[in-house]
Amino acid sequence: MIRALLIRRFWLLGSNITSSVVLSFLFPMIIFIFINLSFRRVLVNAVYDIDFDTWIYPSMVMLVSVLSIIPSIFRDLFDLRIHKKVLTYLSLTPYSKSFLISSFLFVSLIEGIIMALVSLLLYSFIIPYPFTLIETLSFFFYLSIMIIFLGNIFITLSILSDKSATFFISIFIIVFFILFGSGLVISLDFFPLSINNILSIVPIAMIVSAMQSYLFSGFINWTITLIPILFSSVLLIINSILLRNKLRQ
Amino acid sequence: MEASITLKKVGKLIDDKTIVAGLTFGIERGSLVAIIGANDTGKSILLKLLSGFEKPDYGNIFIHGFDMQKRKKKTRQLIGFVPHETDLDPWLSIEQNIRFSSLLYNVSDNDYNDRLDLFSNSLNIKEYLGEISSRVSYGIQKRAMLVRALIHNPEILVLDEPTGFMDAPSVRLTWDLLKKLKGEKSIIYVSNTLTEVEQAHDRILVFKDGKIIMDGNLDKLLESTLDYHQFQIEFENLNDELYRTLSNITTVVSPNKIDNVFHFYGRDRSVFFDIVKAASESLMIDLSVKKLGLIDLMDSEFAGGGLD
């Protein structure tokens, strides 16, 4: 199934090759302009004495990567579901719902990683690359956790929403949270302590914190690395049940 | 004959309304079975249950002896389903849609090419394979869906309105193919086109209120019409008085009129002479008598009220 979904994704990109390529390059540049250039002025003091470009580099790549998986999940699990196309046919194939959800997540992971590589390539022409090979690999490890976790959240929303307005408003809230409440762009230390305490136990913030902890101090925090993985596993099971119930199978 | 599909007390409720009510029946391997009935009687839901599209609220469905709920992976491999509405990926070409299905079912490249060639030729869609599916007509999409359902060589075909949206030549091609496949595959289909059902069936299941009310081949089903014939007599002027007179003849059953045409059922042709006597002063323009068919059997007033 994974092979079938990957080939299908490739066909879909191929059928809109011009817009796909243009957006693949345009999107990282938009993120660079609105995240790097604007926040460079706002956040005058770099956090923890880390150079601003170094701080913001993985955040920009992660943003490009996780936001780029929304369209394919929206299409496959919301748009085609409410229009009774493809997904219902997929659900009749000899695979379990959990395998179906895992396959969608795997395809999103590949797509997200490709977008991350494209944005890394683009940014390398603009700002100096600050990380070693090991740090880069660890970044991709945390990026994968983030894609799987947020992919699961996007899938949950796609299955639960029956109207596009509901889906998009929910996505907007989550994107807003990723931008400003996860520590990805603005460190949680800027928030009042009580808010900081609440935000830091949200799995998205945990992944960001674990990534920054390793990239900027070389310390691996296993607790906040493993908790989001555990959450993702639970969400995968929940999504399988939700999909089964939604399709009345 | 060995059973291909067996239902044991299968029921389906939607919002506490019984859609399928405790069905128990079997379908022989290699047979062509038509399911007919009025709209909203649960025919399509029954097909969805048989294809695994929906699960029953109670009872069991066995596909080649395997319980559908317990052996999903095995049973789904055995079924090819074509829903009523087109469900192809609108942004992929017809061929990509079919190829996608073959990849999902792990069909080898050789088998895929052979089957695509065979079925796309049979259904005459070869020239459309490269077209984006949303840009071709529904009739072509429906034929492509049939090829897609056949690409993994299922032993059971479950088809909801197999010739829906199709023009006359496509309908003929589709039935030619399905009749060729009969025997090799079990084919269960729902259709509202009763003339097609009369031509293509080993068995007809008549569905009403979630239950099978008649089961058998066309001759067996028409036995219940007790040799009635359908008469249509066109008068120059069929006024209300004449209509009342004719309707009151005891051998005339279920009379009605459309403009100047008097329509009724009668057990033997002698009823015509009763009409001639009663309407001796009126000018008759045209007459037709025909043996009853499925359409008459399914006519709601006729089937609901009966003839006797």
Side-chain angles (χ1 to χ4, degrees):
Chain A
M1 167 167 272
I2 291 172
R3 181 168 164 252
L5 286 175
L6 276 172
I7 290 174
R8 173 170 161 270
R9 194 77 203 116
F10 180 74
W11 285 333
L12 288 168
L13 287 172
S15 65
N16 299 298
I17 189 72
T18 312
S19 56
S20 300
V21 170
V22 169
L23 286 174
S24 299
F25 286 92
L26 194 62
F27 186 44
M29 294 317 296
I30 295 285
I31 292 283
F32 177 79
I33 292 165
F34 289 110
I35 300 294
N36 187 312
L37 299 185
S38 61
F39 280 92
R40 179 184 296 277
R41 304 272 181 178
V42 176
L43 305 174
V44 178
N45 300 314
V47 194
Y48 307 126
D49 295 328
I50 300 160
D51 174 56
F52 179 76
D53 278 334
T54 307
W55 164 267
I56 210 73
Y57 206 115
S59 304
M60 288 191 301
V61 176
M62 199 172 251
L63 270 175
V64 170
S65 182
V66 296
L67 297 184
S68 66
I69 68 170
I70 295 175
S72 62
I73 290 178
F74 165 77
R75 181 177 186 274
D76 286 337
L77 287 145
F78 177 80
D79 193 33
L80 293 179
R81 177 177 62 78
I82 60 167
H83 290 106
K84 294 189 167 63
K85 291 187 188 293
V86 191
L87 183 66
T88 41
Y89 183 78
L90 271 173
S91 70
L92 295 181
T93 54
Y95 302 98
S96 66
K97 297 291 172 288
S98 55
F99 191 70
L100 189 64
I101 297 287
S102 307
S103 303
F104 278 121
L105 284 171
F106 186 80
V107 173
S108 298
L109 180 63
I110 299 290
E111 197 167 352
I113 286 175
I114 290 171
M115 278 306 291
L117 289 169
V118 169
S119 52
L120 275 179
L121 179 74
L122 279 176
Y123 296 152
S124 67
F125 291 107
I126 306 168
I127 41 180
Y129 188 67
F131 302 114
T132 64
L133 180 63
I134 297 294
E135 286 168 341
T136 305
L137 291 175
S138 71
F139 164 72
F140 275 99
F141 169 70
Y142 287 110
L143 175 66
S144 301
I145 299 173
M146 184 65 108
I147 291 172
I148 298 291
F149 180 78
L150 281 173
N152 263 308
I153 297 284
F154 297 147
I155 287 173
T156 309
L157 290 175
S158 302
I159 297 172
L160 289 178
S161 310
D162 284 327
K163 290 180 180 168
S164 49
T166 314
F167 178 82
F168 285 116
I169 289 171
S170 311
I171 288 290
F172 179 77
I173 293 167
I174 290 171
V175 170
F176 202 75
F177 182 85
I178 296 168
L179 275 173
F180 301 111
S182 68
L184 203 57
V185 178
I186 299 170
S187 169
L188 296 185
D189 293 333
F190 283 102
F191 288 93
L193 189 60
S194 55
I195 302 292
N196 183 347
N197 288 338
I198 294 168
L199 290 177
S200 58
I201 57 168
V202 176
I204 301 172
M206 284 185 184
I207 302 168
V208 173
S209 177
M211 177 193 73
Q212 289 171 341
S213 168
Y214 182 75
L215 290 182
F216 302 136
S217 64
F219 172 68
I220 300 173
N221 189 333
W222 284 111
T223 309
I224 57 172
T225 301
L226 293 176
I227 288 175
I229 295 175
L230 187 69
F231 264 97
S232 297
S233 309
V234 174
L235 275 174
L236 177 66
I237 296 165
I238 291 172
N239 282 334
S240 311
I241 296 166
L242 286 175
L243 185 62
R244 191 178 301 127
N245 289 341
K246 200 75 175 184
L247 296 172
R248 296 195 295 206
Q249 291 179 351
Chain B
M1 212 170 179
E2 207 175 348
S4 183
I5 299 175
T6 309
L7 281 81
K8 285 189 179 166
K9 294 179 181 171
V10 171
K12 180 75 184 172
L13 309 169
I14 294 179
D15 299 329
D16 292 335
K17 186 186 169 196
T18 301
I19 307 297
V20 173
L23 286 183
T24 299
F25 67 91
I27 289 172
E28 296 81 15
R29 284 196 194 196
S31 58
L32 177 60
V33 178
I35 301 172
I36 59 173
N39 292 334
D40 202 28
T41 50
K43 305 183 303 278
S44 292
I45 292 289
L46 175 62
L47 282 199
K48 286 181 178 176
L49 293 174
L50 294 178
S51 64
F53 201 93
E54 294 207 13
K55 69 171 180 184
D57 289 313
Y58 55 90
N60 300 86
I61 301 172
F62 297 91
I63 305 289
H64 287 198
F66 299 107
D67 189 324
M68 229 177 156
Q69 284 306 307
K70 290 176 184 162
R71 300 291 301 276
K72 281 184 183 172
K73 194 172 178 180
K74 176 76 183 167
T75 54
R76 286 182 175 185
Q77 192 79 37
L78 297 169
I79 297 171
F81 179 55
V82 177
H84 180 228
E85 299 294 332
T86 59
D87 68 342
L88 299 172
D89 191 318
W91 293 357
L92 292 182
S93 70
I94 296 283
E95 184 171 1
Q96 284 169 341
N97 270 287
I98 299 167
R99 181 68 178 141
F100 179 53
S101 181
S102 79
L103 290 167
L104 289 170
Y105 286 92
N106 296 316
V107 177
S108 71
D109 287 351
N110 280 343
D111 286 343
Y112 166 73
N113 288 326
D114 290 348
R115 289 172 197 159
L116 179 69
D117 200 44
L118 174 68
F119 297 128
S120 59
N121 274 327
S122 301
L123 294 173
N124 198 21
I125 58 164
K126 198 126 194 169
E127 63 183 294
Y128 302 104
L129 289 177
E131 298 281 337
I132 296 296
S133 63
S134 56
R135 292 182 195 154
V136 298
S137 71
Y138 285 135
I140 294 165
Q141 289 187 47
K142 194 82 185 195
R143 279 184 274 162
M145 286 161 67
L146 184 55
V147 177
R148 184 185 63 174
L150 286 164
I151 208 72
H152 66 282
N153 196 26
E155 294 192 33
I156 298 168
L157 272 180
V158 180
L159 315 170
D160 197 347
E161 295 284 357
T163 57
F165 312 113
M166 289 186 195
D167 55 20
S170 308
V171 169
R172 184 178 50 76
L173 288 173
T174 303
W175 281 115
D176 285 348
L177 175 64
L178 291 175
K179 283 176 183 173
K180 262 186 220 164
L181 293 170
K182 191 190 98 165
E184 180 193 331
K185 300 179 191 304
S186 312
I187 303 172
I188 301 104
Y189 71 98
V190 159
S191 179
N192 285 314
T193 314
L194 299 178
T195 46
E196 278 179 28
V197 175
E198 284 179 344
Q199 298 297 315
H201 73 276
D202 290 323
R203 185 175 163 197
I204 301 169
L205 304 175
V206 182
F207 221 64
K208 191 179 181 189
D209 298 331
K211 291 177 186 163
I212 293 168
I213 55 165
M214 292 185 196
D215 180 354
N217 60 27
L218 184 62
D219 290 338
K220 189 182 170 195
L221 259 52
L222 292 181
E223 277 174 15
S224 63
T225 62
L226 302 168
D227 292 331
Y228 273 92
H229 287 71
Q230 185 192 59
F231 292 78
Q232 270 187 190
I233 302 171
E234 185 177 357
F235 290 90
E236 189 182 48
N237 180 24
L238 178 59
N239 55 37
D240 289 346
E241 190 188 337
L242 177 60
Y243 176 69
R244 269 196 301 276
T245 307
L246 298 178
S247 299
N248 288 335
I249 296 172
T250 51
T251 48
V252 168
V253 177
S254 293
N256 65 60
K257 69 173 257 192
I258 300 170
D259 294 330
N260 287 322
V261 180
F262 183 59
H263 178 281
F264 65 98
Y265 296 96
R267 185 165 278 169
D268 57 55
R269 294 175 191 223
S270 65
V271 67
F272 172 66
F273 298 104
D274 298 334
I275 295 285
V276 169
K277 273 185 219 162
S280 57
E281 290 178 10
S282 304
L283 182 62
M284 289 182 203
I285 295 173
D286 197 12
L287 161 74
S288 80
V289 184
K290 70 176 178 87
K291 206 178 167 191
L292 295 192
L294 262 187
I295 293 173
D296 309 295
L297 190 68
M298 294 308 296
D299 178 275
S300 57
E301 191 182 342
F302 177 58
L307 288 166
D308 281 333

